[in-house]
């Protein structure tokens, strides 16, 4: 059986982003049979339906989504909403078929950030993605200065992320 390809989408461009840190930790904890790639959402142009198919960065992202077995998504909440960075990327992807039935694990780095999570679930479900509930994890990272080293060293957090990866692998392999 071939390896599993996961695509990690972070809604934060902040250098010391907790959301990116969680996704980076997942990549570090992933077994050797699982590859995690990080497309740079910050380089995408602003969504304009008139320009669909015209931007190489967007075409490349669409191809990465189509080739991925599953998605790992983490977004900060800004003013009760999904980050513009992530929403912009999702808007470019709405028109394609890449999300249809794609297994998705959601990561929330702040338990109080419930509005963005709810909105994100709504958007992803509307795009026909399959949220894998048992792979979704909330960690209380806000204010902790946690980076991937700290997250890996916290047994409960590392365990929750390993378990999330296991659930994604189970779901993906069950479809093969
Ligand atoms: C402009 C701004 C607005 C924010 N609005 C909210 C909010 O409405 N609800 C919330 O829970 N956190 C809010 N936060 C906190 C961020 O979600 C938090 O700092 C998060 O860690 C940022 O993600 P990152 O660490 O991945 O960059 C806000 C932060 C900023 C800078």
């Amino acid at each position: 059986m071939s390896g599993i390809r996961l695509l990690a989408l972070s809604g934060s461009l902040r250098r010391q982003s907790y959301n990116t840190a969680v996704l980076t930790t997942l990549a570090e904890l992933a077994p050797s049979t699982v590859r995690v790639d990080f497309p740079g959402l910050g380089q995408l142009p602003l969504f304009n339906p008139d320009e669909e198919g015209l931007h190489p960065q967007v075409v490349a992202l669409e191809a990465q989504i189509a080739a991925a077995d599953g998605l790992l998504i983490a977004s900060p909440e800004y003013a009760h909403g999904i980050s513009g960075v992530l929403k912009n990327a999702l808007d470019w992807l709405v028109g394609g078929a890449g999300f249809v039935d794609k297994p998705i694990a959601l990561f929330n780095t702040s338990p109080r950030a419930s509005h963005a999570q709810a909105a994100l679930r709504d958007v992803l479900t509307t795009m026909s993605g399959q949220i894998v509930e048992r792979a979704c994890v909330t960690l209380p990272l806000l204010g902790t200065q946690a980076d991937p080293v700290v997250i890996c060293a916290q047994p409960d957090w590392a365990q929750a992320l390993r378990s999330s990866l296991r659930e994604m692998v189970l779901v993906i392999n069950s479809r093969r």
Side-chain angles (χ1 to χ4, degrees):
M1 197 175 284
S2 63
I4 285 175
R5 281 177 295 186
L6 300 178
L7 208 59
L9 306 181
S10 173
S12 176
L13 301 181
R14 204 166 64 84
R15 235 185 340 268
Q16 292 183 312
S17 158
Y18 295 118
N19 287 281
T20 305
V22 164
L23 296 174
T24 304
T25 308
L26 284 157
E28 290 175 5
L29 295 175
S32 58
T33 50
V34 175
R35 190 176 108 190
V36 182
D37 291 321
F38 291 76
L41 304 187
Q43 306 308 314
L44 297 178
L46 289 178
F47 177 59
N48 180 345
D50 291 341
E51 297 174 3
E52 283 189 287
L54 298 185
H55 296 284
Q57 312 97 297
V58 177
V59 173
L61 177 61
E62 285 170 341
Q64 280 183 294
I65 296 278
D69 297 299
L71 306 177
L72 311 173
I73 301 182
S75 175
E77 174 168 301
Y78 293 138
H80 286 187
I82 305 167
S83 81
V85 169
L86 180 61
K87 187 61 169 64
N88 183 55
L90 294 175
D91 286 348
W92 278 116
L93 297 165
V94 169
F99 267 71
V100 176
D101 283 336
K102 190 78 74 187
I104 301 171
L106 292 178
F107 301 89
N108 185 1
T109 57
S110 170
R112 73 168 195 216
S114 56
H115 297 85
Q117 281 296 300
L120 187 52
R121 283 169 173 273
D122 196 16
V123 169
L124 296 171
T125 306
T126 301
M127 292 170 74
S128 302
Q130 288 296 317
I131 296 173
V132 180
E133 294 298 341
R134 290 167 64 92
C136 297
V137 175
T138 296
L139 298 178
L141 300 189
L142 211 60
T144 62
Q145 310 301 323
D147 62 11
V149 174
V150 171
I151 298 170
C152 277
Q154 227 287 353
D156 291 352
W157 296 350
Q159 175 56 32
L161 297 181
R162 277 200 189 90
S163 164
S164 167
L165 287 165
R166 266 198 306 275
E167 292 297 335
M168 285 296 276
V169 168
L170 274 176
V171 168
I172 290 164
N173 281 339
S174 73
R175 294 166 168 219
R176 290 181 160 183

